[in-house]
Amino acid sequence: MSQAVRTRPEGSGQPLSEAYDTALLDLDGVVYAGGSAIRHAVDSLAVVRSGGMHLAYVTNNALRTPDTVAGHLTELGIPTGAEDVITSAQAVARLISEQVPAGARVLVIGGEGLRVALRERGLTPVESADDDPAAVVQGYGGPDLTWGRFAEASYAVARGVPWFASNTDLTIPSGRGIAPGNGAAVEVVRIATGKEPQVAGKPLPPMHRETIIRTGARRPLVVGDRLDTDIEGAFNGEVDSLLVLTGVTDGAQLLAAPPQHRPTYVDADLRGLLTGQPEVTADGDGFRCGGFTATAGADRLELEGDGEPLDGLRALCAAAWTAAGEGSCELDGGKALARLGL
């Protein structure tokens, strides 16, 4: 059964931390940026946790182990255990374990996070295509992953060994800017072999399944900053989502979002978990939220009123998404967004 097309952000009469039992939080762009905590993240998560909401951290980065991620978060002031971290390495390891014999050898093109996850599932990491692997797995291995590792993957994949990828994010943020991600490395092997891998990470179902298995969440809320991984992953898992504007997504991208990229809620940062969410209501030919009313004109989005800028953005989302229906809004929202400072 297809999902109904979302045409506006939803409201909530109670704090999101009370409406949902588990927050499935992306890390980079949501909790931290460049290794440092994002403003309001530490305090907001402390309040949420003290109120009884379970916090789980979900990342497509397969390089770091859950222990390492948990240690980093704890150093930032967010007490975290390894059991609270779910990685794409864990998701792909489970996917592989369901398709190869117990104890099978798996050729690893990536870092320690993949090796730890494979051993957890009873599989044996190996380093060469000559080690008779039953599968090849590829995950982000950091900037020092050598060209020879891609050659090993290509040798095995070309002769028919099943190929898996933790995720296919083309880029990854770093302290110096945007660097090639695992998706770029996957393209190297794809070009060399003409094959396609099975992929586990966000936004695909194996990652969502792994997260639910490990957290036991019954009413999860996905919290992320990326439309094409976090929000689409929530859409594919048929759960609600909160987009925070502390990462890569800007107002123009949000207004142009197709149905699978439209979040349930929109807020500035993780303080959004502590509050309810305002309703967006139909108002004549437009949509009203707080003191703003937004309408879709012939070639651009119009905004009237004043108040909290985020209310204006929510109203604009409703006008844009309604006009776009099952597509992407092509109306110019630049002037309206500039007025909101977004």
Side-chain angles (χ1 to χ4, degrees):
M1 181 181 295
S2 61
Q3 298 185 52
V5 174
R6 179 176 302 286
T7 57
R8 70 185 79 174
E10 289 188 16
S12 175
Q14 61 184 143
L16 297 183
S17 59
E18 297 177 10
Y20 300 89
D21 68 348
T22 305
L24 306 179
L25 295 130
D26 182 48
L27 289 171
D28 212 325
V30 175
V31 179
Y32 55 66
S36 299
I38 287 174
R39 190 180 180 193
H40 305 300
V42 174
D43 292 344
S44 296
L45 293 176
V47 174
V48 167
R49 186 172 53 251
S50 67
M53 190 182 209
H54 180 203
L55 304 179
Y57 303 92
V58 186
T59 177
N60 259 1
N61 191 327
L63 176 61
R64 299 196 296 172
T65 67
D67 278 321
T68 301
V69 174
H72 179 204
L73 289 170
T74 300
E75 289 176 0
L76 294 177
I78 305 168
T80 306
E83 68 279 4
D84 298 319
V85 178
I86 300 94
T87 73
S88 62
Q90 294 171 323
V92 77
R94 187 183 298 274
L95 190 62
I96 295 168
S97 71
E98 294 169 342
Q99 300 180 43
V100 302
R105 297 178 179 184
V106 179
L107 173 59
V108 176
I109 313 300
E112 187 62 15
L114 276 176
R115 294 179 178 85
V116 169
L118 290 169
R119 293 189 188 104
E120 183 185 34
R121 300 251 65 87
L123 301 170
T124 304
V126 297
E127 302 301 315
S128 171
D130 296 333
D131 290 329
D132 194 26
V136 177
V137 64
Q138 196 168 354
Y140 182 67
D144 298 325
L145 196 64
T146 66
W147 198 255
R149 302 307 298 151
F150 304 139
E152 289 298 323
S154 298
Y155 299 147
V157 171
R159 67 174 184 244
V161 177
W163 178 29
F164 298 81
S166 63
N167 66 298
T168 52
D169 297 33
L170 290 173
T171 62
I172 188 168
S174 77
R176 297 175 60 191
I178 300 299
N182 191 54
V186 166
E187 284 300 310
V188 173
V189 179
R190 192 201 312 267
I191 290 168
T193 64
K195 306 287 188 178
E196 295 285 339
Q198 295 185 52
V199 184
K202 295 184 286 187
L204 298 173
M207 187 68 169
H208 181 73
R209 180 181 61 149
E210 188 72 19
T211 300
I212 298 303
I213 289 172
R214 289 180 179 270
T215 64
R218 295 186 178 183
R219 301 188 316 280
L221 177 69
V222 171
V223 185
D225 70 307
R226 295 183 69 112
L227 300 180
D228 59 349
T229 54
D230 306 316
I231 305 308
E232 186 175 342
F235 176 87
N236 290 337
E238 299 186 359
V239 299
D240 289 347
S241 60
L242 166 65
L243 178 79
V244 292
L245 301 176
T246 48
V248 301
T249 299
D250 61 24
Q253 292 168 327
L254 181 59
L255 297 183
Q260 70 271 23
H261 291 172
R262 297 172 187 169
T264 313
Y265 310 105
V266 179
D267 220 310
D269 51 51
L270 288 177
R271 290 176 296 177
L273 289 171
L274 306 176
T275 65
Q277 294 288 307
E279 295 283 347
V280 181
T281 58
D283 185 6
D285 293 332
F287 296 89
R288 184 175 183 84
C289 184
F292 287 100
T293 300
T295 56
D299 57 2
R300 68 181 184 180
L301 296 168
E302 305 282 357
L303 186 67
E304 297 180 353
D306 54 36
E308 166 59 46
L310 276 171
D311 288 341
L313 180 60
R314 294 177 181 115
L316 284 169
C317 284
W321 297 351
T322 299
E326 297 185 8
S328 297
C329 182
E330 298 181 357
L331 299 175
D332 183 5
K335 184 176 180 181
L337 289 171
R339 183 182 167 196
L340 297 173
L342 298 172

